[in-house]
Amino acid sequence: MYRLLRAPFRPVTYSRWLHLCVPVLVLAIWMFVVPEWPWGPLLLVLPFGLVPWVRLAEGLQAQFLLTPHDRGSAEGAISLASSAHWGDRWRTVLWLATRMVVAIGAVGATVWMPAMTVELIATALGHSLDPDPLAPYIPESRWLAALLAPFPLVVLMAVVVVLGELVTAAATWLLGPSAAERLSALEERTEQLLERTRIARELHDSIGHALTVAVVQAGAARAAGDPAFTDRALCAIEETGRAALEDLERVLGVLRESGQPPSQRPTLAEADRLLESARASGSEVDAQLTGPLATLPGPVTREGYRILQEALTNVLRHCGPVPVRVRVEMAEDRLDLEVTNALPERPGMTIGGGSGLRGIRERAALLGGEAETGLYEGGWRVRARLPLERIR
């Protein structure tokens, strides 16, 4: 009852009413031409449901008038796509038939209910219409006619609301996304979420590394009091900051859908700049890179670079300038990457956890590999194994 009382004040009530009345325009024109065959329009319109683009046209109209809250949404309850399979075509045919039948009931109520109200008002005023097809349904008492005058309009509004809900439910069922369309939308949504996660990891690794190096270098330069060391620290900060700005510009370009292709992301062939950045921060880096790293598959070399970057960033951030051992080896079927560092004796120092280590494991898992992080021989080790066979 509350919904019925609200119906006259809801715009969707009238947009659904319009949607109900549109098919009868075809019927009205047909009745002027061939009045002895009133069901002709139904048989004439139904075959159009087999045309693929009719589903798109009906979906646009239904979404615009029946579910305006989903207007323009590709993920709404009503599909905005042409028929891709015969199942979609036959559902469109059934929708056209349902829409025509429901429309006839809505337009019948739209015509006869106001006419009955006019007749009741005329009777209450002591007049009668001529001709008067509704005379058998009109009470002779003037006061009773006056009392019943608003009732047909209430019935009309109830019919419009009920039929509007009915046709909306039918549209959701018959014009709704098919299983293939739902799967496609789910895959697209998953790709978007994965891309956002990748961008978040890129920002975390690149900007986090640059800030960590800058903080460590600035602190070391201030403590050293050596102009030559300060000059080298400032150069390292400048170089790291410039690289971080390039990465930030690339990621922002991706967000603007005009970014550089993935092939231009840093690779393990550029690992020297990470090692030099760590050395410039005061760490003693023992690095050994084995194998033709320049021939690595794109996904492996790019993710390997980010894993190495995050591992070195964690060393500088949590341990400071401690000795670091880096081993990168390209075997026949996999890439082995290992970063080991000593742990300083700091009271209250926390080990493990954090989004950086989780990001390392996620990067390895996406390529079908594995990553291990934890204590090793009195220090801390990050080891990743990335397969090559399934990537080539």
Side-chain angles (χ1 to χ4, degrees), residues 94-274:
L94 183 57
W95 158 252
L96 293 176
T98 302
R99 185 182 179 188
M100 181 68 74
V101 172
V102 175
I104 292 174
V107 172
T110 301
V111 172
W112 289 105
M113 292 297 102
M116 183 170 290
T117 295
V118 172
E119 179 67 24
L120 288 170
I121 294 175
T123 301
L125 296 176
H127 304 287
S128 60
L129 301 180
D130 189 21
D132 191 1
L134 296 175
Y137 309 103
I138 304 300
E140 297 181 359
S141 172
R142 295 175 60 180
W143 68 267
L144 184 58
L147 185 63
L148 294 176
F151 184 72
L153 297 181
V154 175
V155 173
L156 172 60
M157 186 57 62
V159 169
V160 169
V161 171
V162 171
L163 293 183
E165 293 288 344
L166 177 63
V167 78
T168 301
T172 302
W173 178 48
L174 298 173
L175 297 179
S178 63
E181 290 171 339
R182 290 191 181 95
L183 180 60
S184 177
L186 180 60
E187 290 176 347
E188 182 179 354
R189 178 63 176 166
T190 302
E191 288 294 329
Q192 292 175 352
L193 292 176
L194 288 175
E195 180 66 12
R196 291 180 182 179
T197 302
R198 186 186 68 79
I199 290 174
R201 284 200 304 263
E202 292 282 331
L203 286 175
H204 174 273
D205 295 348
S206 179
I207 307 303
H209 175 78
L211 292 176
T212 299
V213 170
V215 170
V216 172
Q217 291 279 9
R222 185 178 60 179
D226 183 358
F229 182 84
T230 300
D231 185 63
R232 290 195 302 272
L234 291 175
C235 289
I237 292 173
E238 179 184 5
E239 181 181 351
T240 305
R242 186 180 294 111
L245 285 175
E246 292 176 359
D247 286 343
L248 179 61
E249 197 60 38
R250 176 184 53 77
V251 172
L252 292 179
V254 171
L255 292 176
R256 293 192 298 265
E257 299 183 349
S258 60
Q260 296 176 332
S263 59
Q264 297 188 19
R265 290 165 53 194
T267 66
L268 280 175
E270 307 170 57
D272 286 344
R273 77 176 189 178
L274 292 177

Side-chain angles (χ1 to χ4, degrees), residues 53-110:
W53 60 264
V54 171
R55 181 170 181 256
L56 171 60
E58 289 294 321
L60 286 170
Q61 186 181 156
Q63 191 180 95
F64 187 81
L65 295 176
L66 298 180
T67 58
H69 53 279
D70 288 340
R71 189 175 303 168
S73 172
E75 301 178 356
I78 298 175
S79 175
L80 299 180
S82 300
S83 299
H85 308 283
W86 279 104
D88 297 335
R89 294 184 175 94
W90 289 117
R91 286 198 301 159
T92 306
V93 171
L94 183 57
W95 158 252
L96 293 176
T98 302
R99 185 182 179 188
M100 181 68 74
V101 172
V102 175
I104 292 174
V107 172
T110 301

